[in-house]
Amino acid sequence: MFFSSERPLGLLIFAMLSISAIAQHQTDSIIKIDREGQMVLRSYFTYDSNGYQTSVMHYTFNRKEQTWSGTYREEAVYDNDGRITSKKVSYWEKNAWVEMSRESNVFDSKGRRTLHDVRKWNRERNAWIGTECTKLEYNGLGLISSMSQMDWDEDDNDWAEDHRTVIEYNENGLEKSRTEQKFNGSEWGNDTRSLYEYNDKKKRSRVTSEKWSGNQWRPVEQTAITYLAQSNGDNSVVKQISKYDESTGSFVDSERNTVVNDRHNNEILSKTERFKNGRWTIS
C-alpha cells in the first residue's frame, strides 16, 4: 500500500469495523481507541477492481460534540500494472475536502518512469504551482542516461527546462561519467563533469572533477580511492584528494580521509589529514 500510517496517539488499540474481502486483506475501515476506550481516529479505505488501495480518509472524534471531523485524505490512480499514475492529498476544511497537492507519474512501454510531477495549491494565487518535476531518459541497456530537473515558470504557469545530469557508462555497465548541464533558454550548456575509473574488482578507484571553461573541460580535483583489507577481517578505505594546480599543470596533494570498518562493516576509525609543508598532518 502506498499510504503511510498515522502517528500514534498515545496507547492505541485497533478495532476493525468491517473487512470487505478478508481473503485479499482489504480493510474497509478501522477505528483507533485510546487506553480509556475512547474513540480517537477513524479511517476509511477504498480499492479498485484489481485490489489496489485507491483512497484513505481520516477522521478525528470530537468528544464534546460527539461528532467526527475529516482531517486528511489521499487518493491514487493506478495503471494496469499497478503503478501509481496520479495521487492527490486533501485536507478537511469547512465541512468539505479541499485538495492541497497532487502528483503524477508517466511510464514508458517498458514500465520505466519517465516523468514525476508534483504541484501544490496556492491559495493566494488561486492556482496550482509546480514544486518538483523530474524527466528521465534511458539508454539501450535500460540504464538512466539523463535526469532533467524542471523549474516552475510563473509567467507561463508551466514547467521550464532548468538543469540536467547526463550519464555515460563503460562496457561493464558502470558509470563512466556524469555531466551537469544548465539550460540557457535555447540549448543545454556544460557546467561540471565527474569522470570515474575502477579497479579490477569493479570498485571505483578514481574520481576526476572538471569544470567547463573557455569551451573546454578543465581539471579541478581528483580523488584516488584505495581499499585495504586487514588480516583480522577489518577493512579500510582511503580517499586521497588532490587539487589541480594550473601553474604546474598537475594535481597537488591536499587531503586524505581514512575510514576503517570491522568485519561486520561497523565504522571503528575515521581520520582526516591535510598535506602541508611536504607531509601529512592529522587535522
Side-chain angles (χ1 to χ4, degrees):
M1 296 183 184
F2 69 93
F3 300 114
S4 59
S5 60
E6 310 81 10
R7 289 175 290 186
L9 302 173
L11 178 63
L12 300 177
I13 302 174
F14 292 83
M16 297 226 177
L17 291 181
S18 62
I19 300 178
S20 60
I22 296 178
Q24 298 179 13
H25 305 290
Q26 293 183 353
T27 303
D28 286 338
S29 60
I30 62 174
I31 284 183
K32 287 186 176 181
I33 303 174
D34 63 18
R35 64 174 63 201
E36 297 176 354
Q38 299 292 322
M39 295 182 294
V40 292
L41 182 72
R42 172 181 286 174
S43 300
Y44 293 97
F45 307 90
T46 61
Y47 306 84
D48 63 17
S49 59
N50 293 315
Y52 298 117
Q53 187 175 309
T54 56
S55 74
V56 58
M57 295 173 285
H58 301 300
Y59 295 81
T60 56
F61 188 68
N62 187 312
R63 295 187 186 182
K64 182 178 180 179
E65 299 180 1
Q66 293 292 297
T67 57
W68 291 96
S69 297
T71 57
Y72 179 81
R73 180 178 70 179
E74 283 190 34
E75 300 171 279
V77 176
Y78 302 79
D79 62 16
N80 292 331
D81 295 308
R83 296 180 292 259
I84 295 176
T85 56
S86 67
K87 186 168 73 171
K88 60 183 179 181
V89 174
S90 304
Y91 294 95
W92 188 258
E93 189 174 284
K94 297 180 180 179
N95 295 318
W97 291 111
V98 179
E99 191 175 344
M100 300 301 295
S101 68
R102 58 172 64 166
E103 65 179 77
S104 60
N105 298 297
V106 177
F107 301 90
D108 63 17
S109 59
K110 296 182 179 180
R112 302 171 301 196
R113 185 164 66 177
T114 58
L115 180 70
H116 178 62
D117 183 334
V118 181
R119 309 186 188 198
K120 291 187 177 181
W121 181 253
N122 187 300
R123 297 189 180 188
E124 295 180 356
R125 300 178 185 176
N126 197 36
W128 288 101
I129 304 298
T131 59
E132 176 189 349
C133 186
T134 303
K135 291 197 307 183
L136 299 170
E137 296 180 8
Y138 301 83
N139 62 18
L141 298 176
L143 301 172
I144 295 175
S145 60
S146 175
M147 296 184 294
S148 300
Q149 300 296 322
M150 313 289 282
D151 191 32
W152 186 257
D153 189 321
E154 295 184 359
D155 294 330
D156 294 337
N157 199 38
D158 200 357
W159 293 110
E161 301 282 7
D162 185 56
H163 64 278
R164 71 177 179 181
T165 302
V166 178
I167 307 173
E168 295 183 335
Y169 301 84
N170 62 21
E171 64 278 5
N172 295 314
L174 302 173
E175 287 189 20
K176 181 172 66 177
S177 68
R178 275 188 175 235
T179 303
E180 303 296 330
Q181 298 180 326
K182 294 181 178 179
F183 195 70
N184 62 15
S186 59
E187 61 181 2
W188 291 100
N190 291 325
D191 185 27
T192 61
R193 181 172 70 171
S194 295
L195 305 175
Y196 306 111
E197 299 176 34
Y198 300 85
N199 60 22
D200 55 358
K201 294 183 179 180
K202 298 182 181 180
K203 288 186 175 182
R204 192 168 292 177
S205 60
R206 188 181 305 274
V207 180
T208 302
S209 300
E210 301 177 328
K211 65 178 179 180
W212 184 256
S213 179
N215 290 323
Q216 63 177 326
W217 289 109
R218 298 181 183 275
V220 176
E221 182 179 283
Q222 193 172 85
T223 301
I225 308 172
T226 305
Y227 305 88
L228 303 174
Q230 310 295 328
S231 59
N232 64 354
D234 295 347
N235 62 84
S236 61
V237 178
V238 180
K239 295 183 178 181
Q240 186 165 315
I241 302 172
S242 303
K243 304 288 186 181
Y244 188 75
D245 187 339
E246 293 187 356
S247 64
T248 62
S250 61
F251 288 96
V252 179
D253 288 336
S254 173
E255 180 179 314
R256 185 167 63 189
N257 299 303
T258 303
V259 175
V260 179
N261 298 314
D262 63 20
R263 67 187 66 188
H264 304 295
N265 207 35
N266 298 311
E267 184 178 309
I268 57 177
L269 174 66
S270 179
K271 180 177 65 174
T272 298
E273 301 169 281
R274 308 284 182 183
F275 193 76
K276 295 181 180 180
N277 301 320
R279 57 181 296 184
W280 291 103
T281 304
I282 296 178
S283 57

